Amino acid sequence: EIARLRLWLSLVVEEDEPSPLPNLEHKIMQGNSLISDYEGIKLFDKDLFFKKTDSTTQLDFIFDSGANKKMKELERNIESYFSESRRSKKNELKKDIDKLKWELIEESLKEQIVEGKTEVKEKVKEIKKLKEKNIQPFFIWELEFSEVFKEKGGFDVVIGNPPYVKEYTDKNSFKLLKQSPYYMGKMDLWYFFACYGLDILHPHGIQSFIAPNNWITNYGAKIMRDKFLDESLIHRFIDFGNYKVFSSAGIQTMVYLLEKSSHNQEYNVKYGKLKKDNPTNRELEHFLNSPSEIINEVFEKFECKFLKREYKNKNISFLHPEIKKIVDKIKSGGNRWLKETEVAQGIVIPQDKLNRKNSNILGDGYKVGEGIFVLSEKERQELDLFENEEEILKPYYDTTHFCKYSTKEKSNNWIIYTDSRFKNTNLMKEFPNIKKHLDKFAKIITSDNKPYGLHRAREERFFQGEKIVVPRKSAEPTFSFNEGECYLSATFYIIKPLELDIKYLLGLLNSSLVKFWLKYQGKMQGNNYQIDKEPLLSIPIINPFIKNQKRYIEIFDNILMIMSSLNYNSQHPPKKQKDFEKELDVLVYKLYGLTDKEIKLIEEYIN
């Protein structure tokens, strides 16, 4: 009702001379815009009512079908409804319109039954019950806006602020969408709106959404990205960075504007990014309204070349031409990439320690912070474990134990390392004290391997021996060396390289060049790096001859020695350490054949 009123007022204000007041019913509608079928049954077949008359997208009616007569009657009634002023007659027409819509659905169902679709026949009774109650848990765009699809084949514009919902936060919202061709794991609900929004546009129609800015790199947006690449041209992408457009939502947003078109494999995109977290109103206006190329400390705006083939099945990035040139040079220099078998995420532990929500479920006698699968040294001792039970307790590390290049100290925390075998409850009888401990929390444990197994234990080899550890989210990439037993949560990725010296690789990964690469070819959340598996596998590594790796290893050992003597205070490294890090950067730049000008640009952009 508010939407109708606001649109009505906008139309009235634009009128130069008084005219009949516009009727906006059947123009503004409410419904579930993502569901147009019933439990997988197609409710409206536009091919029954429309046909293409030529090579364009103009649609016309089939003139010889009973279904078509109903469609024409529906259109006449809607047209009459707009012009009718008598309330009683309007109510009568509304009933006729609703009745005809259901009859057109029945025509589509009959056609499917004739075609031998037995599953449709079984669902007809349920659909008839919906009709009797006049309940529509679906929204059929081609039926509700038939004149739009008849005249143009779709809408001129689809615009909106779709709901941002992850599946793990609201599974009910996804329940009826699992059969959609646009569904995939780790996605966001708004991706459906973007995909279906593109479907209901006519060729060359425009879609513009404000939504989270990370769809260009999120794994769960892969289907949507590929659909955009195949079926549209992205004309503008405005990234608001860390600036919160909505004060009530702590999320990084962007606005895109795209055109439905499968042509132009190469075109230009107008890109803008707000770099300042808290810009003034004047700076915001300048950012939004400035038409020219500008790069300063507040924002950057430029036009970049976009080649569709470069991003098929990959993340999307919008790069300034001078950055693109450096990125391409780094990419062409690589002769080795990390393999899937060399990189793993840490353990998924839904219940590491007791949180407030679960302590309320369990009731009195439980404390927030109490260890469940992750125990402190004191909690470990209190369990009075047998020798065989001690063997499944492993040293557990978190972000406080690491700094750039190194592990700072040994951990005093422990994880009950139980894999999928412990789903068999009989196995737990061999570990009575641990069983007794976990039984206390059985009511709240949600693991796939409950009540005794970790949700995802991962391959144990990644937690043993020499390895590189990196947190998924950080202000800058922080790769650390570890050589003992070190069990980690899913907030980390672990790298165990084959045929590569681990110290050489560690120096390379901590370089300014790789930081630059991850900023422009990895994933960013505002100004923070998100180092997931895909960005790690994409880093172009140069594997030089053994003799050429020697200096990298010497530098790493020297840095480690300095850090050890200073108790790993990486926040304020001494000049000698900074000099070694600078030498490391110079070696890496030289390895990739970068010029002084390119080096200067890299260091300007990452700082």
Side-chain angles (χ1 to χ4, degrees):
E1 293 302 323
I2 291 169
R4 283 183 184 140
L5 177 61
R6 291 185 69 172
L7 180 55
W8 181 84
L9 287 170
S10 298
L11 292 170
V12 169
V13 167
E14 292 295 321
E15 290 285 333
D16 292 327
E17 295 180 10
S19 62
L21 300 178
N23 188 318
L24 296 176
E25 290 190 60
H26 293 284
K27 294 292 182 186
I28 292 180
M29 301 190 188
Q30 180 180 334
N32 188 336
S33 55
L34 298 182
I35 304 291
S36 58
D37 60 17
Y38 179 75
E39 296 183 3
I41 304 300
K42 194 174 183 181
L43 295 175
F44 184 77
D45 184 358
K46 66 177 184 290
D47 293 336
L48 269 179
F49 311 106
F50 306 138
K51 70 174 182 178
K52 291 185 179 180
T53 56
D54 52 36
S55 59
T56 70
T57 58
Q58 182 70 26
L59 296 173
D60 206 351
F61 287 105
I62 301 172
F63 288 101
D64 57 355
S65 70
N68 173 248
K69 288 176 184 175
K70 290 184 188 296
M71 179 62 84
K72 293 185 83 170
E73 187 181 349
L74 174 65
E75 285 194 313
R76 283 196 301 271
N77 282 359
I78 290 174
E79 195 174 331
S80 298
Y81 186 88
F82 289 151
S83 58
E84 183 58 59
S85 58
R86 292 169 294 172
R87 176 54 56 185
S88 58
K89 184 63 176 174
K90 281 174 78 73
N91 290 338
E92 188 182 318
L93 284 166
K94 190 175 188 307
K95 285 179 184 176
D96 288 344
I97 289 166
D98 290 341
K99 181 170 174 283
L100 282 164
K101 284 179 180 177
W102 278 109
E103 288 174 357
L104 286 164
I105 289 171
E106 286 170 351
E107 291 288 342
S108 282
L109 294 172
K110 282 178 192 173
E111 185 67 23
Q112 291 177 72
I113 292 169
V114 169
E115 290 172 3
K117 295 180 179 178
T118 54
E119 69 277 11
V120 176
K121 199 171 185 179
E122 292 167 6
K123 290 288 179 185
V124 164
K125 287 182 182 177
E126 292 178 30
I127 294 168
K128 280 184 177 177
K129 285 181 183 177
L130 292 174
K131 178 187 175 183
E132 287 166 12
K133 296 177 182 178
N134 200 24
I135 295 171
Q136 291 193 11
F138 47 76
F139 188 87
I140 307 171
W141 288 94
E142 290 92 344
L143 177 57
E144 301 292 355
F145 291 98
S146 58
E147 71 279 15
V148 171
F149 291 89
K150 174 189 173 183
E151 292 169 14
K152 306 190 83 170
F155 290 92
D156 296 310
V157 176
V158 169
I159 187 170
N161 172 20
Y164 321 146
V165 182
K166 293 285 187 187
E167 188 171 8
Y168 67 82
T169 65
D170 185 358
K171 290 185 178 179
N172 284 335
S173 294
F174 287 77
K175 196 162 59 175
L176 298 175
L177 295 164
K178 292 282 182 80
Q179 304 306 314
S180 166
Y182 306 129
Y183 174 78
M184 69 177 293
K186 299 184 179 180
M187 71 178 296
D188 193 303
L189 189 70
W190 84 263
Y191 301 162
F192 287 114
F193 287 88
C195 292
Y196 286 119
L198 193 55
D199 288 342
I200 61 174
L201 283 171
H202 68 67
H204 304 294
I206 298 295
Q207 183 186 112
S208 185
F209 279 3
I210 183 165
N213 62 8
N214 55 9
W215 66 267
I216 59 175
T217 56
N218 260 13
Y219 171 81
K222 182 181 175 300
I223 289 175
M224 184 181 86
R225 278 197 302 273
D226 284 349
K227 183 176 177 68
F228 279 11
L229 288 172
D230 290 339
E231 300 177 25
S232 77
L233 306 175
I234 304 168
H235 288 303
R236 293 192 183 192
F237 188 96
I238 306 299
D239 188 346
F240 291 97
N242 277 341
Y243 174 71
K244 302 301 183 286
V245 172
F246 302 109
S247 58
S248 60
I251 203 159
Q252 289 94 3
T253 50
M254 60 83 232
V255 172
Y256 65 67
L257 187 147
L258 57 82
E259 174 190 353
K260 185 171 181 175
S261 172
S262 56
H263 305 301
N264 301 72
Q265 293 303 305
E266 181 180 322
Y267 60 95
N268 287 340
V269 176
K270 289 182 177 177
Y271 175 81
K273 180 169 183 179
L274 191 60
K275 296 194 279 189
K276 192 174 179 180
D277 293 358
N278 297 296
T280 64
N281 285 344
R282 188 172 180 180
E283 287 170 336
L284 268 175
E285 286 176 17
H286 191 207
F287 169 59
L288 292 171
N289 299 325
S290 173
S292 57
E293 179 170 315
I294 294 177
I295 297 175
N296 56 37
E297 68 280 359
V298 179
F299 66 86
E300 58 185 19
K301 287 185 96 167
F302 55 82
E303 198 166 292
C304 59
K305 189 176 287 186
F306 192 83
L307 283 75
K308 287 186 177 184
R309 65 178 180 274
E310 288 191 356
Y311 301 108
K312 189 67 177 172
N313 299 316
K314 295 176 185 174
N315 293 344
I316 289 174
S317 57
F318 303 102
L319 302 178
H320 190 281
E322 61 186 15
I323 291 179
K324 179 80 165 60
K325 186 180 174 185
I326 299 171
V327 162
D328 288 345
K329 192 168 184 178
I330 294 170
K331 192 185 297 183
S332 65
N335 60 15
R336 167 76 153 83
W337 282 260
L338 288 170
K339 300 169 186 171
E340 290 267 354
T341 53
E342 296 175 313
V343 180
Q345 191 173 11
I347 303 160
V348 179
I349 325 161
Q351 287 80 36
D352 52 352
K353 293 179 181 289
L354 189 60
N355 60 27
R356 189 170 300 280
K357 179 184 173 184
N358 284 332
S359 71
N360 290 335
I361 293 169
L362 293 172
D364 295 338
Y366 293 87
K367 294 183 297 181
V368 173
E370 190 174 345
I372 303 176
F373 277 97
V374 173
L375 309 172
S376 68
E377 175 61 24
K378 183 184 176 187
E379 288 171 327
R380 170 178 171 257
Q381 290 178 10
E382 287 172 350
L383 290 180
D384 198 19
L385 302 174
F386 295 126
E387 191 175 333
N388 70 315
E389 291 180 305
E390 293 277 7
E391 290 174 5
I392 63 168
L393 253 66
K394 305 294 182 181
Y396 180 77
Y397 287 69
D398 59 37
T399 51
T400 64
H401 295 107
F402 300 99
C403 60
K404 196 170 182 179
Y405 297 105
S406 181
T407 308
K408 291 193 283 188
E409 58 188 2
K410 282 196 170 183
S411 175
N412 287 321
N413 294 323
W414 305 88
I415 183 168
I416 300 170
Y417 189 74
T418 47
D419 56 23
S420 58
R421 293 173 299 154
F422 286 80
K423 199 169 185 177
N424 178 353
T425 54
N426 289 327
L427 183 60
M428 209 61 195
K429 291 176 182 176
E430 299 174 28
F431 309 93
N433 293 301
I434 291 177
K435 180 180 184 300
K436 184 180 177 183
H437 166 73
L438 291 175
D439 282 344
K440 288 176 12 186
F441 303 100
K443 192 175 180 180
I444 59 156
I445 290 174
T446 58
S447 164
D448 280 356
N449 302 307
K450 64 183 179 183
Y452 305 120
L454 291 164
H455 188 64
R456 299 283 183 271
R458 310 300 190 193
E459 287 185 70
E460 194 167 7
R461 68 183 177 90
F462 279 97
F463 308 119
Q464 298 170 341
E466 289 189 343
K467 67 192 81 67
I468 295 172
V469 174
V470 59
R472 286 185 63 229
K473 296 181 182 182
S474 55
E476 71 167 332
T478 304
F479 294 88
S480 309
F481 179 69
N482 182 278
E483 55 185 339
E485 275 199 318
C486 174
Y487 289 69
L488 300 150
S489 76
T491 58
F492 292 92
Y493 271 91
I494 304 110
I495 303 167
K496 285 182 76 76
L498 304 169
E499 305 160 3
L500 268 174
D501 186 279
I502 196 165
K503 291 182 178 180
Y504 159 72
L505 179 60
L506 189 75
L508 183 69
L509 293 175
N510 275 321
S511 69
S512 294
L513 181 139
V514 169
K515 182 179 179 181
F516 171 84
W517 174 270
L518 289 171
K519 182 171 183 177
Y520 291 102
Q521 291 294 279
K523 295 183 181 181
M524 298 294 290
Q525 280 198 328
N527 294 327
N528 289 326
Y529 290 79
Q530 182 170 327
I531 303 175
D532 290 329
K533 193 169 190 175
E534 297 84 3
L536 289 171
L537 297 180
S538 79
I539 299 170
I541 297 165
I542 295 180
N543 188 11
F545 294 115
I546 299 295
K547 65 177 183 179
N548 293 334
Q549 296 181 12
K550 185 180 176 184
R551 185 55 188 158
Y552 291 87
I553 297 164
E554 288 173 351
I555 291 172
F556 170 77
D557 286 336
N558 282 317
I559 290 173
L560 215 57
M561 196 182 303
I562 293 167
M563 293 178 76
S564 175
S565 68
L566 295 170
N567 199 25
Y568 300 99
N569 185 358
S570 60
Q571 296 300 315
H572 304 285
K575 183 180 183 301
K576 198 169 183 182
Q577 182 180 329
K578 288 181 180 177
D579 288 342
F580 278 125
E581 291 178 354
K582 185 66 181 172
E583 185 185 348
L584 188 63
D585 276 341
V586 171
L587 285 171
V588 175
Y589 290 141
K590 187 177 178 182
L591 188 66
Y592 286 81
L594 298 181
T595 65
D596 290 343
K597 183 182 176 184
E598 289 165 340
I599 293 166
K600 187 182 176 188
L601 282 169
I602 285 177
E603 298 194 344
E604 281 177 5
Y605 275 104
I606 62 172
N607 294 318

